[in-house]
Amino acid sequence: MRIEASAAFTSSRPLFPLFIFLFFIPGFHSRNLQQCSSSCGDLTNISSPFRLQGDPAGCGDVDFQLSCQNNTAILNFRGGKYYVKGISYDKRTVRVVDVNLAHGTCGLPYKSLSMSEATEDGRFPSLITFWQANFVNCSNTIPELRDSKVPCLSGDTSHVYVNFSNRNLFGYEIPRSCKVISRIPTSWENELNYPYNETTLKLLATGFDLRWSVECRNCHTSGLFCVYKSNNDPRIFQCETVFEEDYKTLLPAFIAYLVSRSLIDMALLVRLILAPLVVFVFLLHKCLTTRKTVGNAEHVGDIQMLPEPVPCSPQGHTSNLPSDSPKQVLIAASIERSA
């Protein structure tokens, strides 16, 4: 037995170094990911999950890849281009600014982006600030908006204004001769709706903060839902299916909805179809009963109008016969012949 065990151990010895190598490689690889760092201009610590285009394959995540152009890091996000002003790995946020607004010059954003559109990306599930600039183009001059007019975009037949709000503008809030041509998230200071001047340009140039999350990216990739696990900073996200937490509550509610819906449908069926049918049958029965009663009354009247039988006397003579009745005439003629 010892010889067999010793032989087995001896035969497995060549595999032991391979086992050690495979066991420690994942940890070594993960440490390499954490230590991998790049820089671009003022952004000196680009590390996992972010990476620069051209970094080794083990550095960061390709879904969080940045490019370095003119010594400035750029994020391609939902069709737009944004300069990356800073990354916070503690709070899991990234500060970005539209490339057309980054230098404080007058103009439209490179790509229209509303707050709701910004949070539809699985990599960046939420914003830190909840204000946006709405650029509105009008065919006529709007006197009430003259302070917010964008001079570099306006002309004789086109008048562009900027409005700051915490949501998309409703249709009734936009003059009939105007339409929204672009949007961009911005910092909360624009709540004051400053006139379109150097102050506004500087505020637009500060950009806005996006919250990034690898967990949410993985959720969207798997077709699941990304929810807050913790509302504290940094906010932690986790994946959930639709009924992972609340299916025991939602299922009875769904069944109750189906039952109530069925009862409502039955009530409508009774009210709209069965009730008129019952009324029709009742009226038909009443009509037929009334006609039968009238017919019976007429038949009884006919019977009452028939002549009553004439009673005979004990001597065989009729009583109360009219004087001109045929029988009386025959009797009188018989008496005359016998006389």
Side-chain angles (χ1 to χ4, degrees):
M1 180 68 67
R2 290 182 179 179
I3 295 175
E4 293 178 357
S6 176
F9 177 77
T10 303
S11 61
S12 63
R13 288 182 63 183
L15 300 177
F16 186 72
L18 178 62
F19 171 76
I20 295 295
F21 176 78
L22 294 176
F23 181 82
F24 286 103
I25 277 298
F28 178 79
H29 181 67
S30 63
R31 285 196 297 271
N32 268 353
L33 287 179
Q34 297 296 328
Q35 294 175 356
C36 182
S37 177
S38 303
S39 62
C40 178
D42 295 334
L43 210 61
T44 58
N45 184 23
I46 302 175
S47 57
S48 181
F50 293 93
R51 55 172 277 128
L52 278 181
Q53 187 177 7
D55 281 350
C59 293
D61 193 311
V62 292
D63 285 341
F64 293 86
Q65 181 169 279
L66 309 175
S67 61
C68 189
Q69 301 177 14
N70 298 324
N71 214 27
T72 305
I74 294 180
L75 171 68
N76 292 308
F77 177 62
R78 300 194 63 81
K81 289 186 177 182
Y82 301 88
Y83 291 136
V84 179
K85 309 296 287 186
I87 301 175
S88 173
Y89 295 93
D90 295 332
K91 297 183 178 181
R92 300 191 179 189
T93 60
V94 54
R95 170 62 66 96
V96 297
V97 57
D98 186 280
V99 293
N100 285 359
L101 305 176
H103 303 294
T105 57
C106 177
L108 284 176
Y110 180 89
K111 175 71 166 56
S112 178
L113 179 72
S114 67
M115 293 186 298
S116 58
E117 292 171 338
T119 57
E120 291 175 357
D121 193 296
R123 300 171 297 170
F124 305 98
S126 68
L127 289 162
I128 304 301
T129 55
F130 297 95
W131 287 92
Q132 70 181 26
N134 306 291
F135 292 86
V136 183
N137 185 21
C138 303
S139 58
N140 300 322
T141 302
I142 309 299
E144 296 82 3
L145 302 177
R146 61 180 179 272
D147 291 338
S148 59
K149 191 170 184 177
V150 183
C152 66
L153 302 175
S154 301
D156 296 334
T157 59
S158 179
H159 309 273
V160 179
Y161 305 91
V162 62
N163 164 269
F164 296 97
S165 66
N166 59 354
R167 54 175 172 75
N168 290 341
L169 296 177
F170 295 114
Y172 67 84
E173 296 177 305
I174 305 172
R176 292 184 179 180
S177 62
C178 306
K179 64 177 181 180
V180 177
I181 58 175
S182 188
R183 303 181 180 93
I184 193 70
T186 184
S187 60
W188 63 269
E189 290 91 348
N190 284 315
E191 177 185 358
L192 300 177
N193 268 311
Y194 294 113
Y196 193 83
N197 51 26
E198 292 184 3
T199 303
T200 301
L201 294 175
K202 289 180 181 179
L203 289 174
L204 291 174
T206 60
F208 56 95
D209 290 317
L210 287 170
R211 195 182 299 275
W212 53 267
S213 172
V214 178
E215 297 86 353
C216 276
R217 189 279 312 272
N218 295 339
C219 285
H220 282 256
T221 303
S222 304
L224 300 176
F225 292 88
C226 183
V227 297
Y228 286 128
K229 182 178 180 180
S230 171
N231 288 331
N232 299 325
D233 285 331
R235 295 190 179 186
I236 308 300
F237 300 87
Q238 67 180 10
C239 291
E240 285 188 2
T241 58
V242 180
F243 300 110
E244 183 175 342
E245 295 293 334
D246 301 327
Y247 75 96
K248 292 183 179 180
T249 303
L250 295 176
L251 183 60
F254 181 69
I255 295 175
Y257 167 77
L258 292 180
V259 172
S260 61
R261 186 67 184 177
S262 300
L263 294 176
I264 293 174
D265 293 340
M266 290 178 62
L268 292 175
L269 178 66
V270 171
R271 180 177 180 182
L272 299 178
I273 299 178
L274 296 182
L277 183 61
V278 171
V279 173
F280 174 76
V281 172
F282 172 76
L283 294 176
L284 181 62
H285 174 73
K286 185 175 181 181
C287 178
L288 294 176
T289 303
T290 303
R291 291 184 62 182
K292 184 176 181 180
T293 303
V294 173
N296 291 338
E298 292 177 353
H299 181 66
V300 171
D302 293 340
I303 295 177
Q304 292 177 353
M305 293 176 64
L306 292 175
E308 296 182 359
V310 180
C312 296
S313 63
Q315 294 78 14
H317 301 287
T318 59
S319 61
N320 299 327
L321 289 172
S323 58
D324 58 350
S325 65
K327 190 173 184 179
Q328 186 176 3
V329 172
L330 291 176
I331 292 173
S334 176
I335 293 174
E336 291 178 354
R337 284 195 299 270
S338 64

